[in-house]
Amino acid sequence: MSILVNKQSKVIFQGFTGQHATFHAQEAIRMGTNVVGGVTPGKGGETHIERPVFDTVKDAVKETGADVSVVFVPPPFSADAIMEAIEAGIKVIVVITDGVPVQDMVRVKRYLIGHDAIIVGPNTAGVITPEECKVGIMPAHIYPKGRIGLVSRSGTLNYEAVEQMSELGLGISTSISIGGDPVNGCDFLSLMKKFAEDPETDAVLMIGEIGGSQEVEAATWARENMNKPLIGFIAGATAPPGRTMGHAGAIISGESDTAQAKMKRLDELGVSVVQNAAEIGRTVLQSVNSRK
Amino acid sequence: MNIHEYQTKELFRSYGMPVPEGGMAHSANKAVSVAEQVGGDGWVVKAQIHAGGRGKAGGVQLARSLDEVQQHAENLIGSRLVTKQTGETGRMVNRVLVEQMQPIDQEFYLGLVIDRASQRITLIASAAGGMEIEEVAAATPEKVINEVVDPAVGLQDFQCRKVAAEIGLSGKQIHKAARIMKQLYRCFRDKDALMVEINPLVTTQEGQFLALDGKMSFDGNALFRQPDIADLRDFDEEDPKEVEASGHDLNYIALDGSVGCIVNGAGLAMATMDAISLYGGRPANFLDVGGGASPEKIANAIRIVLEDPNVEVLMLNIYAGINRCDWIAEGIVKAMESQSIDVPVVVRLAGTNLEAGRRILSESGLDYIHADRLSDAAEKAVKAVKGEAA
């Protein structure tokens, strides 16, 4: 099982022939990911790393049956590429690109309504189901297969958590970084719902950050609906206020979105809260053991 | 990216919004000539810095004569203004905005943000103008009206009229205010803004609306298609080291602790800072080197962090995914060759090409403190600050 991607996923890369996409497609293939081709407008009909190149996502879907796309298209053209994938019927769209304008993502999310697709990112390290499918830029070898579902904003903090867990013998069912942008594709809550239903996931680790209220919303849902341990960490306790988004974004949610306030709320909601990033692995292990 | 009030008002004017008559001045003489030009019998002289809280800090002065305009401008230009948002050192005032003084009847708040909860542009309005909207929202949330904009059709007239009525306007004023909301929305959307505030939006005794103050910030990721906005950037308003760092594609934010931090990824960088403070230390900075960092980039990062005289220990925490530990190590060696590093250096490397990275470091002869884990690195860095052997 796992969530979002698995052995059966048929993966294409958008911006396929670019340097980074090429490198990461090769890495994905090395791990056993079923990469069926890619899209670079104007290069349709060519072959790249032994796979077909298409002009449009629609052609790629028609010819290969692709259902997952990894977007490496540069920021000015990312929104267009994501909407092309949505329209072509791609089910999981992973947007690696960093620097997509926020208002572009506002429009993309409006376009998404009524379509059956999930966007991960932008500005994400991607998704990995160990030993089955890697659609991202993470180092696959550090992800052992296992039964912990992992969802984080950050990529490198995700690696950090995985290393701590694997040292204690804990592996990953699926790991997703949702990216650090203020307007992003899928949120913690939608992934929490998928992990709750996944028979191969025994517990969920959620690694959030300051800003917004996604972590609290996910934990609120989990308290009522998920019968699996939920472990949480919020990065940014020492971050200076107002450096990225000012306060104006926070007044609407009505929630204080400092790390301390969020950790307190998570604790009240029954989440096993990690206070120190160096203790993530140990807290997950304790939480899983106490449930047995 | 933030801009000055006078720049915001010029943008407002270009969208047809009513703003007071006035202009920017770099000198006291110019301030007087602006005052003469706009006419009237009273003026406001406003220090132009990016930080808020100017009024309470003496950065907004009323003048009843041209002599007073001259006096206030002279006092403000070249002075450092300390507001609750500037920190103790304050901000240098390089220019003032001189405007006709306006007899005010009512004050409102009007703003637009990209709301994280709805993931859409949202209009915010309140009858409690002239106060900080965060405080209004905390004390009297019912006085803050939110209206979410559907990106498919944009802000609609009916939404503006609804909001105008909800903040207590009536008659013709509903239409006038609605028009300003629509103009503000167009400006926000066209220019890839993240936030815009008119606080206060006032009515004069003749019943005319005026944007008395204006604040606007823009999406740095959209500047590639907003060259006119990019031109408004004022580097004097930014920390010179942050400007230099951004020139090297490094995300650096100065803090006031003693542990210099070099990390990859914003999340891990924040978690590293948090860990340092949990072990009793204080981070000197936030620094994210990003992905695929070259040895040159790492060397630049080290140099920039060490330029801070408060740094007593340097800590590198790199979990390489698309980065490479060997490049990071080469960067450390490179930095050592070009400058003497006289503070302890704690290095924690993990991930891609770890062995090669460790080999480069051990062969370099660099006297550094090795750390295997995040906890280890944070603890050793804090001990090094305190002068304890790690």
Side-chain angles (χ1 to χ4, degrees), chain A residues 24 75-76 98-104 106-107 109-110 113 137-139 141-142 153-154 156-157 159-160 163-164 167 180-185 209-214 217 233-240 243-245 247-249 251-253 275-279, chain B residues 113-117 119-122 124 133-134 137 144 146 150-152 188-190 192-195 197 219 221-222 224-225 242 252-255 264-271 273-275 277-279 283 317 319-322 348 350-352 372-375:
Chain A
H24 290 288
D98 178 9
V100 179
V102 179
Q103 291 200 26
D104 282 6
V106 171
R107 287 184 274 269
K109 291 203 76 175
R110 177 64 175 82
I113 295 174
I137 57 175
M138 68 290 281
H141 68 272
I142 70 164
R153 272 204 181 266
S154 158
T156 51
L157 191 49
Y159 312 160
E160 174 72 42
E163 180 179 276
Q164 288 182 23
E167 282 179 348
D181 287 3
V183 176
N184 59 356
E209 288 177 7
I210 49 168
S213 56
Q214 282 199 15
E217 284 157 21
F233 175 73
I234 304 290
T238 49
R243 282 308 304 259
T244 46
M245 259 286 289
H247 303 289
I251 58 165
I252 297 172
S253 64
Q275 298 293 338
N276 177 350
E279 301 288 331
Chain B
V113 293
I114 298 198
D115 170 35
R116 279 181 174 229
Q119 305 259 290
R120 290 181 172 187
I121 297 172
T122 298
I124 306 169
I133 193 71
E134 292 87 347
V144 179
N146 298 319
D150 183 339
F188 185 96
R189 184 200 56 194
D190 292 355
D192 276 301
L194 294 179
M195 186 277 293
E197 268 186 347
D219 183 359
N221 288 338
F224 67 84
R225 63 187 178 203
E242 291 176 16
Y252 172 92
I253 294 173
L255 300 167
N264 64 321
L268 186 60
M270 283 193 278
M273 289 159 51
D274 298 347
S277 63
L278 279 168
Y279 285 101
N317 181 23
Y319 208 120
I322 47 172
R348 186 272 182 132
T352 308
D372 276 323
R373 295 185 179 77
L374 171 62
S375 52

Side-chain angles (χ1 to χ4, degrees), chain B residues 56-361:
Chain B
K56 284 189 181 122
V60 178
Q61 298 286 344
L62 304 181
R64 283 289 169 197
S65 67
L66 291 174
D67 281 347
E68 282 184 24
V69 170
Q70 168 109 22
Q71 201 55 52
H72 291 315
E74 248 164 38
N75 291 343
L76 285 172
I77 295 170
S79 73
R80 294 194 77 88
L81 192 63
V82 180
T83 81
K84 63 175 183 178
Q85 287 185 12
T86 60
E88 287 168 13
T89 51
R91 287 275 175 84
M92 175 63 74
V93 180
N94 292 315
R95 48 180 88 72
V96 293
L97 172 65
V98 181
E99 289 180 337
Q100 225 173 41
M101 207 190 298
Q102 300 294 335
I104 295 166
D105 185 23
Q106 282 176 288
E107 293 185 273
F108 302 91
Y109 174 95
L110 204 56
L112 286 157
V113 293
I114 298 198
D115 170 35
R116 279 181 174 229
S118 64
Q119 305 259 290
R120 290 181 172 187
I121 297 172
T122 298
L123 177 67
I124 306 169
S126 176
M131 296 157 67
E132 279 187 46
I133 193 71
E134 292 87 347
E135 287 170 16
V136 179
T140 49
E142 70 282 0
K143 286 189 183 164
V144 179
I145 311 298
N146 298 319
E147 186 71 17
V148 176
V149 181
D150 183 339
V153 293
L155 181 67
Q156 296 299 298
D157 290 332
F158 80 87
Q159 294 181 289
C160 300
R161 294 195 303 271
K162 190 172 75 175
V163 169
E166 281 177 33
I167 60 172
L169 294 168
S170 59
K172 277 188 182 159
Q173 296 237 356
I174 286 182
H175 296 285
K176 283 182 188 170
R179 194 180 145 93
I180 294 169
M181 292 176 201
K182 201 80 177 279
Q183 288 161 330
L184 192 65
Y185 170 74
R186 285 202 190 103
C187 178
F188 185 96
R189 184 200 56 194
D190 292 355
K191 301 297 180 189
D192 276 301
L194 294 179
M195 186 277 293
V196 62
E197 268 186 347
I198 306 177
N199 191 21
L201 173 72
V202 302
T203 53
T204 62
Q205 279 152 2
E206 293 83 44
Q208 298 303 315
F209 280 98
L210 272 179
L212 218 55
D213 199 356
K215 196 188 258 182
M216 208 163 178
S217 71
F218 299 89
D219 183 359
N221 288 338
L223 292 179
F224 67 84
R225 63 187 178 203
Q226 303 290 354
D228 56 329
I229 298 298
D231 284 346
L232 300 179
R233 186 169 172 187
D234 182 356
F235 291 98
D236 289 342
E237 288 289 331
E238 298 173 37
D239 182 306
K241 286 173 64 189
E242 291 176 16
V243 173
E244 194 200 344
S246 73
H248 293 294
D249 198 22
L250 296 163
N251 191 356
Y252 172 92
I253 294 173
L255 300 167
D256 53 8
S258 56
V259 182
C261 305
I262 295 176
V263 190
N264 64 321
L268 186 60
M270 283 193 278
T272 302
M273 289 159 51
D274 298 347
I276 289 166
S277 63
L278 279 168
Y279 285 101
R282 290 176 70 199
N285 64 277
F286 166 96
L287 193 154
D288 172 14
V289 298
S294 65
E296 289 74 23
K297 197 170 174 183
I298 297 300
N300 279 320
I302 293 172
R303 182 176 50 74
I304 288 167
V305 170
L306 290 178
E307 275 169 14
D308 177 352
N310 295 326
V311 170
E312 292 174 40
V313 58
L314 177 66
M315 169 182 171
L316 288 97
N317 181 23
I318 304 290
Y319 208 120
I322 47 172
N323 276 297
R324 297 171 46 167
C325 290
D326 52 335
W327 285 10
I328 307 292
E330 280 176 35
I332 298 170
V333 174
K334 216 180 176 72
M336 284 188 57
E337 283 168 358
S338 57
Q339 68 180 109
S340 70
I341 298 179
D342 49 11
V343 298
V345 180
V346 179
V347 181
R348 186 272 182 132
L349 296 177
T352 308
N353 292 2
L354 173 62
E355 290 314 314
R358 283 192 176 153
R359 197 164 51 242
I360 291 166
L361 281 182

